[in-house]
Amino acid sequence: MSFGNHEVMSNPRADRVRDVARLSTAKERSKRGEFLAEGPQAIREALRRHHALEAAGEPGIVQAVYATSVGLDRLDELNDLRNRPLVREVTPEVLIAMADTVTPQGMVAVCRTETISIEELVARKPKLIAVLCRVQDPGNAGTILRAADAAGADALIITSESVDIFNPKAVRSTVGSLFHVPVATGVSVTDLAAVFGPAGIQILAADGYGSLDLDELQEESVRRRWLTSSESAPDAGGGAEEGGVVVLDNPTAWLFGNEARGLSEEELALSDARVAVPLYGIAESLNVGTAATVCLYASARAQRRANK
Amino acid sequence: MSFGNHEVMSNPRADRVRDVARLSTAKERSKRGEFLAEGPQAIREALRRHHALEAAGEPGIVQAVYATSVGLDRLDELNDLRNRPLVREVTPEVLIAMADTVTPQGMVAVCRTETISIEELVARKPKLIAVLCRVQDPGNAGTILRAADAAGADALIITSESVDIFNPKAVRSTVGSLFHVPVATGVSVTDLAAVFGPAGIQILAADGYGSLDLDELQEESVRRRWLTSSESAPDAGGGAEEGGVVVLDNPTAWLFGNEARGLSEEELALSDARVAVPLYGIAESLNVGTAATVCLYASARAQRRANK
């Protein structure tokens, strides 16, 4: 199947092919404001986002889709007439030359990096935000973005010294969530704290050495609702909310730190509280992706229950 | 530093080196009942387990440690007199020839695969068990084992068609948890169900299409405790426990399915209930490691609270 008036691209050494392949480097991505999405699942989500933006009168994010004849048949959306101007058929050799993966499953897309500023984010009155502080592994970053999406988070913020979330490996591990959750990049925690405090967004540090226990906070969150909903509910005694500081139901930005070293002293100092995911076994620590999942779900659960 | 009377092993083509390297294949691991642990963190945990077994009068699990001179200096435990008979110094070339990773961080250890039977497990009256049903990715299997360890699970069960947890990549991603949590392998879900039912262990299927919502079950678990602890607590109406079936506090085996296809019809049918981790955002599904973390922590929280 062929699209538009284009011929099949067959020269792996063509300039356009090299241009696409160069998006595997952070420098080129940053310079051009573009990145590479690979495989049907990511490209389907990219096209959804693209059409949603266009429907709202804004520029789309998909600049071009390159697919082999097998790839074209695999993705229904590519057969949609709207997409035809975006699609170029390529030979398998060209696709391999463009892609970061050995098996890009028949297609890659060049997408515009879409990010929001902290100010735009705060204006949307977010309830739940994940902040990556010097997270280095692209797989971890992608996993956390996917968990943030599942937990219904309003944004992912990536501080300046973290891995590039538009890195091909990170994009792959988000499994499309990169096109669901707004992303802010290149931010410092100091800037965040200056904006979040006045906006009523508490900053919680996910910290294995934290003095607050996440499970205690979750229990407190349920207890508070009971106390509010019924005067006859038993008063189980003091708790985290008594000091008026940490209530999981409140708008929250969670800070997640570097894989080896955790959060820095400065990041901890800028937080409203340090919260530990309890370790019930012999494990000395949790993978940052695992810890982030537990923390984000705890907040999502408390917030959604509070609004019932 | 050198140990015992041995000379430094320097021939990467020696039979003993090849024997160690062959542990990268599942066939060889299965035949010899041995596997390879790489790097200081895994080997430290392996030696802890080894000494704990020996202290209990049982055979240890570490058969041999091979370390470069740099590696020997890195791990305090290796300098312990008890370990000297286990340790052989090798050249960096020999270590690379033995190891699965390019950078084994100065040391590898040949360990005995230690597994338990379902009968032994049930005799220990377990409260929380993770079951991998056809999980294929070694990184996912390792991540789930690490999360199971953190949540204080009593065992990991791996059904016959799953990835080998003693695969070097899986061992690496457990970050030592393989030496903390008892593992049962080669089991069928049918066999499990036959033993767990009479033992009072409920089987919960982690299933995105499940009719029960994990967050509802967690809420129910808190409510039940309140109702028990105080007659004046408000009755919030019927809930999951009313039917007497699913209470998170009960001894539980969680089934986690294949990355692409989830749990089979047979596995679902053998379960007491299908429980979904709620998806609050746009994500269509959760990574199996993420879902497992949320489920295991939900059970651990409910069980530990119930026993307070």
Side-chain angles (χ1 to χ4, degrees), chain A residues 137 139-140 143 169 287 289-290, chain B residues 29 100 132 134-148 156 158 162-178 257 259 287-293:
Chain A
D137 179 72
N140 282 339
T143 299
K169 183 158 189 288
N287 170 286
T290 302
Chain B
R29 287 194 296 275
D100 181 69
L132 304 189
R134 294 167 298 110
V135 168
Q136 293 303 308
D137 179 72
N140 283 339
T143 300
I144 296 174
L145 178 50
R146 191 174 174 196
L156 179 80
I158 303 169
S162 300
V163 65
D164 180 9
I165 193 77
F166 298 106
N167 159 322
K169 182 157 189 289
V171 173
R172 274 196 296 284
S173 30
T174 73
V175 196
S177 288
L178 181 57
E259 288 84 352
N287 170 285
V288 64
T290 302
T293 301

Side-chain angles (χ1 to χ4, degrees), chain A residues 41 44-45 48 143 146-153 177 179-181 213-219 222-223 225-227 229-230 232-236 277-291 293-294 297-298 300-301 304-305 308, chain B residues 41 44-45 48 143 146-153 177 179-181 213-219 222-223 225-227 229-230 232-236 277-291 293-294 297-298 300-301 304-305 308:
Chain A
Q41 191 165 14
R44 186 190 60 201
E45 298 307 303
R48 277 192 193 161
T143 299
R146 191 175 174 194
D149 182 11
S177 288
F179 304 105
H180 301 159
V181 181
D213 175 306
L214 184 68
D215 282 359
E216 299 278 350
L217 294 181
Q218 293 191 73
E219 188 88 355
V222 179
R223 197 177 73 89
R225 245 172 302 127
W226 279 59
L227 291 174
S229 69
S230 164
S232 65
D235 187 341
V277 175
L279 295 170
Y280 296 124
I282 305 173
E284 289 169 22
S285 65
L286 282 172
N287 170 286
V288 64
T290 302
T293 300
V294 175
Y297 258 94
R301 189 180 301 126
R304 282 162 199 264
R305 295 280 155 182
K308 270 205 173 175
Chain B
Q41 192 166 12
R44 187 190 60 202
E45 298 308 303
R48 278 192 191 160
T143 300
R146 191 174 174 196
D149 182 10
S177 288
F179 303 106
H180 301 161
V181 180
D213 175 307
L214 184 69
D215 282 0
E216 298 279 349
L217 293 182
Q218 293 190 73
E219 188 88 356
V222 179
R223 196 178 74 90
R225 247 171 301 126
W226 279 63
L227 290 173
S229 68
S230 163
S232 65
D235 187 340
V277 175
L279 294 170
Y280 295 124
I282 305 173
E284 288 167 23
S285 65
L286 283 172
N287 170 285
V288 64
T290 302
T293 301
V294 174
Y297 258 95
R301 190 180 301 126
R304 280 161 201 263
R305 296 281 154 180
K308 270 206 172 174

Side-chain angles (χ1 to χ4, degrees), chain A residues 268-282:
Chain A
L268 291 171
L270 288 166
S271 303
D272 294 302
R274 306 179 183 192
V275 181
V277 175
L279 295 170
Y280 296 124
I282 305 173

